[in-house]
Amino acid sequence: MSTVSLIQLNKNFKEISAVSDFDMFIEDKEFVVLVGPSGCGKSTTLRMIAGLEDITSGTVKIDDRIINNVHPKDRDIAMVFQNYALYPHMNVFKNISFGLRARKYPKNEIELKTRKAAEILDLTELLERLPGELSGGQKQRVAMGRAIVREPKLFLFDEPLSNLDAKLRHKMRAEMKKLHQKVQTTTIYVTHDQIEAMTLADRIVIMRSGVIEQIGTPYEVYHEPANHFVAGFIGTPTMNFIDCELEKTQPGLHCQLSGGSSFQLDHFQLNEEIGPSREMYIGIRPEDLIHVTSKRENLISIDAQLEVVEPLGAETLLICKGDFGEITGKSNQARGLQWGESIEFEINPDRIHFFDKKTRKRLSPNIS
Ligand code: ATP
């Protein structure tokens, strides 16, 4: 068993605050992904856990042991980086078993552990090959093999798939997931790719400028983003944001969009007082903005002018301009759509998000 406690972790590089007040408890066997834009502090956080970076203040614990001052090699952690750092003159077997040989494990144990790791990672046929004779994905699997033979308490991954092309990344993502299901070692994984984060994580930590913006399951960060930043970061294409004024009505809420359009949400109530009206952003994901071809009663909808059609095969993205700005919606039947055409989008009212313009926090309305 290995849990990780990160308590009020801070890292300053002179006057730069790279990580501030990072607080999190990671459960045994959990797969946690740190994600955020470049420079947000995710690698620095990982490197502090690995012991590769001094901690300015705060505490790192594995189980009940404080490891702030423990040497990296004594932390019982295995780390896999973006560049696999394989020894070019050693074959796959020797690369995987390198750590065990350095620690002078008995020969039969080295043989057993290395072959077991090779089997888990589907590398048995390649044990005699040199790194130069392997594909990018195979090299990455060897690097993972080297980590798993050590049976560490904790795996740390720093952008391990970012050197691979899109197709291989996708395949290796699934491999990572299978690997975790097999070995169940507690894992902390850094990426800037939100799709990788969503598909791999039990919980995602979204960071910006050294600060945690939200910790949550993939479901939570997608459906209940804490704020405007998280809402815009998670999801592709990104969420549409429209300036609006929200007014409480009897019943429900009235939503006045910038530019003149408006709609009524009879079944919505806000938990908090908003005064006579309040400036907000409403957020609607493209997948919740569906092109409708025939007018229906009681539809909550907005109109816009079609600017770009992006067919993706199974569905089509429609980039449009309304009096409130640009929005992206989706269509299932985009044949024959013309540039400049007027498009009506149905909005799924349960999926509308409201963000306070000042605090940028998401408000959670009650829907009856
Ligand atoms: P990326 O996705 O680009 O790798 P990241 O989220 O991993 O970014 P970090 O590498 O953790 O970000 O960097 C966080 C901040 O700390 C950045 O502003 C970076 O410039 C700064 N930083 C990182 N390492 C050092 C260093 N050795 N000296 C000074 N500043 C540093």
Side-chain angles (χ1 to χ4, degrees):
M1 140 159 169
S2 30
T3 61
V4 181
S5 310
L6 305 169
I7 306 161
Q8 289 290 304
L9 267 193
N10 284 278
K11 177 67 189 179
N12 301 336
F13 292 105
K14 295 195 180 126
E15 68 283 3
I16 299 169
S17 166
V19 177
S20 10
D21 293 340
F22 194 109
D23 240 335
M24 185 178 190
F25 179 77
I26 298 171
E27 303 278 354
D28 183 38
K29 302 190 177 80
E30 202 175 6
F31 198 123
V32 167
V33 177
L34 311 185
V35 69
S38 182
C40 72
K42 39 194 197 300
S43 292
T44 304
T45 306
L46 201 73
R47 289 169 61 79
M48 286 194 279
I49 300 166
L52 302 175
E53 205 73 75
D54 288 338
I55 296 168
T56 307
S57 66
T59 307
V60 181
K61 282 206 265 182
I62 296 185
D63 297 330
D64 291 329
R65 180 185 180 216
I66 296 177
I67 56 163
N68 287 31
N69 298 317
V70 175
H71 193 275
K73 74 172 173 39
D74 300 324
R75 291 189 180 202
D76 207 358
I77 285 173
M79 189 154 173
V80 177
F81 297 92
Q82 177 177 350
N83 60 343
Y84 332 113
L86 302 180
Y87 298 104
H89 58 287
M90 290 184 196
N91 67 18
V92 170
F93 185 98
K94 287 199 164 147
N95 264 290
I96 293 179
S97 60
F98 182 81
L100 303 180
R101 290 186 287 119
R103 285 177 171 76
K104 306 247 181 297
Y105 273 61
K107 215 169 168 192
N108 58 345
E109 204 173 323
I110 293 176
E111 184 76 23
L112 212 69
K113 283 181 191 284
T114 306
R115 291 203 175 270
K116 188 172 158 212
E119 200 185 308
I120 290 173
L121 292 160
D122 205 11
L123 288 169
T124 307
E125 305 294 310
L126 306 174
L127 284 171
E128 300 304 320
R129 293 232 197 133
L130 292 172
E133 299 165 331
L134 301 175
S135 70
Q138 290 165 339
K139 281 185 203 161
Q140 188 53 268
R141 295 214 299 272
V142 177
M144 287 185 205
R146 201 167 46 187
I148 66 175
V149 280
R150 292 182 39 207
E151 296 171 10
K153 275 189 163 295
L154 185 61
F155 279 143
L156 302 180
F157 291 100
D158 194 354
E159 303 252 9
L161 308 185
S162 55
N163 279 347
L164 308 177
D165 65 44
K167 211 167 173 183
L168 197 52
R169 268 182 96 113
H170 189 219
K171 184 164 175 272
M172 287 304 291
R173 219 161 61 201
E175 298 287 331
M176 289 286 316
K177 212 158 181 168
K178 277 193 227 157
L179 176 68
H180 184 67
Q181 280 153 9
K182 280 184 197 157
V183 299
Q184 303 218 331
T185 307
T186 311
T187 299
I188 309 174
Y189 185 107
V190 161
T191 180
H192 62 271
D193 179 342
Q194 51 99 10
I195 296 179
E196 218 164 278
M198 292 291 278
T199 49
L200 285 172
D202 293 319
R203 277 192 302 162
I204 300 177
V205 181
I206 296 158
M207 297 179 71
R208 178 171 61 157
S209 308
V211 174
I212 296 177
E213 293 280 333
Q214 187 170 3
I215 301 177
T217 61
Y219 182 93
E220 285 164 348
V221 298
Y222 178 84
H223 289 284
E224 296 153 16
N227 54 40
H228 182 268
F229 173 77
V230 173
F233 189 79
I234 298 288
T236 343
T238 193
M239 187 184 276
N240 297 291
F241 294 107
I242 303 173
D243 285 338
C244 88
E245 269 186 33
L246 207 57
E247 190 189 337
K248 278 192 180 175
T249 47
Q250 287 301 339
L253 294 171
H254 183 73
C255 211
Q256 179 72 51
L257 305 187
S258 67
S261 307
S262 69
F263 53 81
Q264 179 69 24
L265 298 165
D266 282 343
H267 304 289
F268 275 59
Q269 280 175 345
L270 284 181
N271 293 326
E272 58 179 292
E273 214 28 73
I274 57 166
S277 79
R278 172 104 152 252
E279 291 201 340
M280 303 265 175
Y281 295 114
I282 60 164
I284 310 168
R285 295 197 185 277
E287 49 273 39
D288 301 322
L289 208 50
I290 305 299
H291 168 220
V292 281
T293 43
S294 56
K295 288 253 176 209
R296 276 189 278 148
E297 294 249 330
N298 300 328
L299 197 70
I300 296 172
S301 67
I302 47 176
D303 296 315
Q305 232 83 47
L306 182 58
E307 293 212 310
V308 179
V309 180
E310 287 187 348
L312 301 176
E315 58 191 7
T316 301
L317 295 181
L318 305 178
I319 301 170
C320 300
K321 205 170 181 80
D323 48 13
F324 40 77
E326 191 177 279
I327 49 166
T328 301
K330 287 197 174 177
S331 175
N332 296 326
Q333 40 178 46
R335 270 206 182 151
L337 284 174
Q338 298 294 328
W339 177 83
E341 193 173 320
S342 184
I343 297 281
E344 187 180 20
F345 286 112
E346 176 177 7
I347 306 172
N348 179 352
D350 302 350
R351 297 287 191 91
I352 299 176
H353 301 271
F354 296 98
F355 301 93
D356 185 296
K357 216 165 182 178
K358 280 203 194 89
T359 64
R360 306 217 149 203
K361 289 211 167 86
R362 178 173 160 274
L363 284 84
S364 38
N366 289 329
I367 306 166
S368 55

